[in-house]
Each structure stands twice: as C-alpha cells, then as structure tokens.
Amino acid sequence: PGIYICAKCGHELFSSRAKYEHSSPWPAFTETIHEDSVAKRKERPGALKVSCGKCGNGLGHEFLNDGPKRGQSRF
C-alpha cells in the first residue's frame, strides 16, 4: 500500500488504490495519482508511450480500453 514514485526523480505516479490484478507480469493501474504524473504520446493504435511527467523517465505504456472496467485504460 502507498504511493508509487518515479525511480529516477521521486515524482508521484500512481496510488496503490488504483492498482489491480492483471495477467501481465507488470503492476497494472487504472489511473495516475495526479493529472501531471505522466506524459503520454501516441505510439500505436490502442497504446500510448508513458513517461514521468517531471523528468521524462520511461515508464511503459497506457493501453486504452484494457482496464478492469469497460472504457478504462491500463497503465
């Protein structure tokens, strides 16, 4: 439980309240902790490249409409 932060700069990214179980081996979240927690850029249809909103450290992807509820994304 707690806050997940950027390993490079300590910027707050996700809350454990937004974490859920997914078949991926990586932690999965439905939302960021703040609007400016991450920066996004389109990488391919259905997926955005995600980086830290403060330092630009690469964090993976946001998969659109792949969350636990219809219409939710998965980070």
Side-chain angles (χ1 to χ4, degrees):
I3 305 295
Y4 290 77
I5 61 171
C6 175
K8 189 173 179 180
C9 74
H11 190 58
E12 293 183 336
L13 303 171
F14 305 100
S15 167
S16 60
R17 291 187 311 263
K19 189 175 178 185
Y20 70 99
E21 291 296 321
H22 187 268
S23 59
S24 166
W26 306 104
F29 302 91
T30 56
E31 63 188 7
T32 60
I33 195 163
H34 303 292
E35 270 191 47
D36 67 347
S37 290
V38 300
K40 307 173 190 180
R41 69 174 172 78
K42 189 170 185 173
E43 184 172 75
R44 62 181 189 264
L48 305 173
K49 189 76 171 168
V50 177
S51 58
C52 175
K54 185 175 181 181
C55 74
N57 188 34
L59 301 172
H61 294 86
E62 176 182 1
F63 297 99
L64 307 176
N65 299 311
D66 190 40
K69 294 180 185 173
R70 186 180 179 105
Q72 278 187 323
S73 290
R74 172 176 57 94
F75 290 87

